[in-house]
Amino acid sequence: MKSLIIGSALALLVALPAAAADVDCGAATLIKSTKLHLEACVDTTVWQPAQGSGDQEFVYFSNDGKAGFAIVTEQAAAALSDYHDAILQFATKQSGSTDPVKSYDDASPEFNGKTWGVMHYDVTVQEQPLEFLNYYFSENGVGSTQFIFWSKPEDAQSVQADLAGKIMPTVTFLQ
């Protein structure tokens, strides 16, 4: 009887899915959302944490003062095209401009098996023109997130290549 119980217990353990392992961030810091099953690596020698507000679960500013970065997380999901449009409507509202904010360089990259949307858009904040690079994702059962990077337009190329380019490949949804 004892061997039957032990055998059944072992069979049950084998049948259970293995827990997903955390991303290996090397020297970077692993951050985990409290709202979504989401994690990513952020190099705190490059980024300093700041206080977010609303759905901004994480906010960072680059040590050189040239860029900002926020992670927005929401449990609700929407079609990716609807999410794209809602982001631009929100940017327009926040800008205070009567002209709608328009995206450019829209693309659909894949990170760790998930297809994201990405777009650039320009907004003037406190009389300072800024270029936003917004990676966004939404899926039923997962939720919605944005990884938003911003900088002066002259720094946008290096923000995309050197800063966002190091974080986005580490973004992982745990299921």
Side-chain angles (χ1 to χ4, degrees), residues 4-25:
L4 181 61
I5 293 172
I6 291 171
S8 296
L10 287 174
L12 181 60
L13 285 175
V14 171
L16 291 175
D22 286 335
V23 173
D24 180 6
C25 292

Side-chain angles (χ1 to χ4, degrees), residues 40-42 46-47 60 62 66-72 111 116 118-121 130-136 146-152 155-156 158-171:
C41 301
V42 176
V46 175
W47 296 103
Y60 295 90
S62 63
K66 293 184 176 183
F69 162 51
I71 302 173
V72 173
F111 300 109
W116 289 64
V118 62
M119 65 179 148
H120 289 257
Y121 50 91
L130 296 175
E131 184 171 323
F132 286 77
L133 172 60
N134 189 317
Y135 294 86
Y136 56 98
Q146 299 173 65
F147 280 61
I148 309 166
F149 299 83
W150 64 89
S151 64
K152 292 180 180 176
D155 297 319
S158 67
V159 168
Q160 182 172 1
D162 300 332
L163 301 177
K166 290 187 172 123
I167 293 173
M168 293 310 299
T170 72
V171 178

Side-chain angles (χ1 to χ4, degrees), residues 69-148:
F69 162 51
I71 302 173
V72 173
T73 55
E74 305 169 279
Q75 292 180 330
L80 211 52
S81 61
D82 292 341
Y83 198 33
H84 170 275
D85 295 347
I87 291 166
L88 292 175
Q89 289 169 0
F90 183 78
T92 299
K93 180 180 175 186
Q94 292 301 107
S95 74
S97 174
T98 56
D99 296 327
V101 172
K102 296 184 188 285
S103 67
Y104 55 94
D105 293 339
D106 291 32
S108 300
E110 186 174 302
F111 300 109
N112 295 312
K114 298 285 188 184
T115 301
W116 289 64
V118 62
M119 65 179 148
H120 289 257
Y121 50 91
D122 300 319
V123 177
T124 299
V125 177
Q126 298 174 350
E127 299 181 24
Q128 174 65 57
L130 296 175
E131 184 171 323
F132 286 77
L133 172 60
N134 189 317
Y135 294 86
Y136 56 98
F137 177 84
S138 187
E139 183 178 285
N140 286 330
V142 176
S144 301
T145 188
Q146 299 173 65
F147 280 61
I148 309 166

